[in-house]
């Protein structure tokens, strides 16, 4: 029993140290993303002008594209649960709210006396859809913050956007790891407390047994 | 109306705020309350404290990003905050690189173990 508790304490110790190392690594990754982002912003300012990329050009109305999805970790009822924070974009919630409809399917008309097989029709349709996807170019949406600063945003500004988006994702990961660290710390403290209480109880029992034995030997004499 | 998640808030210098707003975290809600604050050199510390407390009181914010140099000004509020959500995360700024000795997560981790624990 005591050995099991000690093993559990060792496991929790190692888990804590691993989590700290992981957090440190993620922090360094975040710093690198931010440094890249600042450098790209400086390049964009050089290209567009100092005042073009500043708070003077923030939009009067802003709608976020990045959100934080909060959920609880899996595990027993005995284990301490922590909050998992995940960075998602607005499409994540749009896709969840959309109900499946059949109106997006194209209607196919029967041609001639001999009806085509459904498989051939499907193949043609798939090929047509593939062609359409290739021809579509990525468009800047109206809620894209790139539009605040320039109609034709330079590559450096797009790169800055990518770097800061990645920094936001890494920030969410760091927060999740921190919550996990706090939960593990609490579990370690609880396990340590029970282990110490068990040790004190067992040591008091052995002292009682030791004092009882001389009394027995005296009575037999 | 589809459900949506919570927001990231940012308290930092102009470049930091511009960068994260470019990333798409910015919001101006119906009450014209932003989820960001641009801190200048002459911004009073009382304003920063008030804004941080306002972010901590909002139910729609999950993470508050704050530059490490600005976090030193409101350290007492950050150390007193223990709730998991909203969580306060210190980030490096352009002028001050990441300093692990000042990071609140790693400072708390330092005090996790004592010599007694390894006896």
């Amino acid at each position: 029993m005591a050995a099991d508790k000690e093993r559990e304490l060792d496991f929790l110790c190692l888990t804590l140290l691993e989590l700290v190392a992981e957090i440190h690594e993620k922090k360094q990754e975040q710093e690198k993303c931010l440094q890249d982002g600042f450098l790209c912003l400086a390049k964009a300012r050089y290209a567009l002008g100092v005042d073009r990329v500043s708070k003077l050009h923030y939009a009067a109305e802003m709608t976020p594209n990045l959100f934080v999805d909060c959920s609880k970790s899996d595990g027993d009822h005995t284990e301490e649960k922590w909050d998992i924070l995940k960075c998602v974009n607005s499409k994540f919630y749009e896709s969840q709210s959309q109900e499946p409809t059949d109106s997006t399917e194209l209607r196919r008309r029967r041609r001639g006396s001999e009806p085509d097989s459904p498989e051939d029709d499907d193949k043609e349709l798939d090929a047509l859809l593939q062609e359409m996807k290739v021809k579509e170019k990525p468009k800047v949406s109206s809620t894209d913050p790139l539009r605040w600063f320039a109609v034709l945003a330079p590559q450096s500004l797009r790169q800055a956007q990518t770097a800061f988006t990645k920094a936001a994702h890494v920030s969410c990961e760091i927060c999740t790891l921190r919550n996990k660290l706090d939960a593990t710390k609490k579990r370690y403290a609880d396990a340590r407390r029970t282990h110490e209480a068990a040790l004190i109880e067992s040591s008091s029992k052995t002292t009682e047994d030791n004092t009882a034995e001389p009394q027995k030997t005296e009575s037999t004499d | 109306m589809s459900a949506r998640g919570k927001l990231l808030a940012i308290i930092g210098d102009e470049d930091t705020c511009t960068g994260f707003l470019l990333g798409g975290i910015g919001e101006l809600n119906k009450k014209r309350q932003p989820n960001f604050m641009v801190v200048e050199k002459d911004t009073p510390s009382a304003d920063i404290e008030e804004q941080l407390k306002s972010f901590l009181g909002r139910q729609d914010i999950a993470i508050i990003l704050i530059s490490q140099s600005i976090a030193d000004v409101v350290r007492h509020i950050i150390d007193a905050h223990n709730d998991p959500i909203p969580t306060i995360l210190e980030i490096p700024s352009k002028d001050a690189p990441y300093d692990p000795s000042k990071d609140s997560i790693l400072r708390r981790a330092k005090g996790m173990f004592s010599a007694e624990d390894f006896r």
Side-chain angles (χ1 to χ4, degrees), chain A residues 12-13 16-17 20 23-24 27-28 30-31 34-35 38 41 45 53-56 58-70 83 85 87 93-94 96-97 144-146 148-149 157 160-161 164-165 167-168 170-172 174-175 178-179 181-182 185 188 192 196, chain B residues 1-8 13-29 32 35-36 38 40 62-63 65 68 82-100 103-106 108-109 112-113 116-119:
Chain A
L12 288 171
C13 261
L16 284 169
L17 293 170
V20 169
I23 287 171
H24 185 58
K27 284 266 184 178
Q28 287 179 324
Q30 183 192 50
E31 193 192 2
L34 289 173
Q35 279 176 352
F38 290 135
L41 267 184
R45 269 205 190 98
V53 185
S54 69
K55 62 181 182 178
L56 300 170
Y58 290 174
E61 288 176 11
M62 291 184 195
T63 314
N65 295 327
L66 274 185
F67 297 93
V68 179
D69 186 51
C70 304
D83 295 296
L85 303 172
C87 214
Y93 294 102
E94 280 167 20
Q96 281 187 341
S97 64
D144 195 339
L146 281 173
W148 305 346
F149 304 105
L157 201 62
Q161 186 181 49
F164 279 101
T165 307
V170 174
S171 303
C172 287
I174 292 171
C175 292
R178 185 166 76 173
N179 291 338
L181 181 74
D182 288 341
K185 261 170 65 177
Y188 175 79
R192 191 167 170 78
E196 280 173 0
Chain B
M1 193 173 142
S2 61
R4 64 172 214 181
K6 299 197 177 195
L7 302 171
L8 286 116
D13 56 18
E14 189 178 331
D15 277 3
T16 308
C17 288
T18 303
F20 276 104
L21 291 178
L22 202 52
I25 70 165
E27 193 206 47
L28 270 177
N29 64 11
R32 304 297 296 169
N35 66 335
F36 59 92
V38 178
E40 309 281 353
I63 300 175
L65 301 170
Q68 210 170 42
N82 290 318
D83 296 339
I85 291 174
T87 189
I88 302 176
L89 185 63
E90 293 172 41
I91 57 173
S93 60
K94 198 173 62 167
D95 305 324
Y98 172 56
D99 186 0
D103 186 70
S104 60
I105 303 175
L106 297 182
R108 280 184 199 175
M112 265 188 318
F113 300 112
E116 283 288 320
D117 295 336
F118 296 111
R119 256 214 269 161

Side-chain angles (χ1 to χ4, degrees), chain A:
Chain A
M1 185 71 181
D4 288 341
K5 275 289 172 191
E6 281 170 7
R7 264 197 291 274
E8 191 191 347
L9 282 171
D10 289 341
F11 171 73
L12 288 171
C13 261
L14 287 172
T15 309
L16 284 169
L17 293 170
E18 281 169 7
L19 282 170
V20 169
E22 223 177 313
I23 287 171
H24 185 58
E25 208 181 296
K26 285 285 172 187
K27 284 266 184 178
Q28 287 179 324
E29 191 185 334
Q30 183 192 50
E31 193 192 2
K32 191 176 176 312
C33 290
L34 289 173
Q35 279 176 352
D36 291 343
F38 290 135
L39 182 62
C40 293
L41 267 184
K43 285 179 184 173
R45 269 205 190 98
Y46 182 76
L48 293 170
V50 175
D51 293 334
R52 286 297 303 178
V53 185
S54 69
K55 62 181 182 178
L56 300 170
H57 287 270
Y58 290 174
E61 288 176 11
M62 291 184 195
T63 314
N65 295 327
L66 274 185
F67 297 93
V68 179
D69 186 51
C70 304
S71 56
K72 281 281 183 190
S73 62
D74 297 328
D76 297 6
H77 60 280
T78 54
E79 283 179 1
E80 197 70 34
K81 292 191 182 172
W82 58 89
D83 295 296
I84 296 175
L85 303 172
K86 198 174 136 195
C87 214
V88 295
N89 59 19
S90 51
K91 289 177 188 173
F92 175 78
Y93 294 102
E94 280 167 20
S95 62
Q96 281 187 341
S97 64
Q98 269 176 5
E99 292 173 5
T101 57
D102 293 332
S103 60
T104 53
E105 287 181 11
L106 295 173
R107 285 188 194 172
R108 291 193 296 276
R109 291 183 184 172
R110 288 183 181 274
R111 298 179 259 152
S113 55
E114 292 180 0
D116 295 329
S117 66
E119 289 170 5
D120 290 340
D121 280 347
D122 284 340
K123 281 181 189 171
E124 279 181 24
L125 189 60
D126 287 341
L128 193 62
L129 285 170
Q130 283 291 329
E131 273 183 45
M132 281 167 65
K133 274 183 193 171
V134 166
K135 283 178 187 171
E136 265 178 24
K137 286 180 188 172
K139 290 177 189 171
V140 176
S141 71
S142 57
T143 56
D144 195 339
L146 281 173
R147 285 188 172 267
W148 305 346
F149 304 105
V151 175
L152 290 172
Q155 192 63 23
S156 49
L157 201 62
R158 290 178 191 273
Q159 285 169 351
Q161 186 181 49
T162 308
F164 279 101
T165 307
K166 192 176 171 195
H169 282 263
V170 174
S171 303
C172 287
E173 287 170 23
I174 292 171
C175 292
T176 304
L177 284 170
R178 185 166 76 173
N179 291 338
K180 191 175 174 185
L181 181 74
D182 288 341
T184 313
K185 261 170 65 177
K186 199 175 169 202
R187 207 173 136 197
Y188 175 79
D190 291 342
R192 191 167 170 78
R193 221 174 297 126
T194 22
H195 180 58
E196 280 173 0
L199 281 175
I200 290 167
E201 205 182 316
S202 65
S203 64
S204 62
K205 269 187 187 172
T206 48
T207 48
E208 275 175 16
D209 290 342
N210 287 338
T211 49
E213 277 176 14
Q215 284 174 6
K216 276 185 191 173
T217 52
E218 279 172 12
S219 63
T220 52
D221 291 342

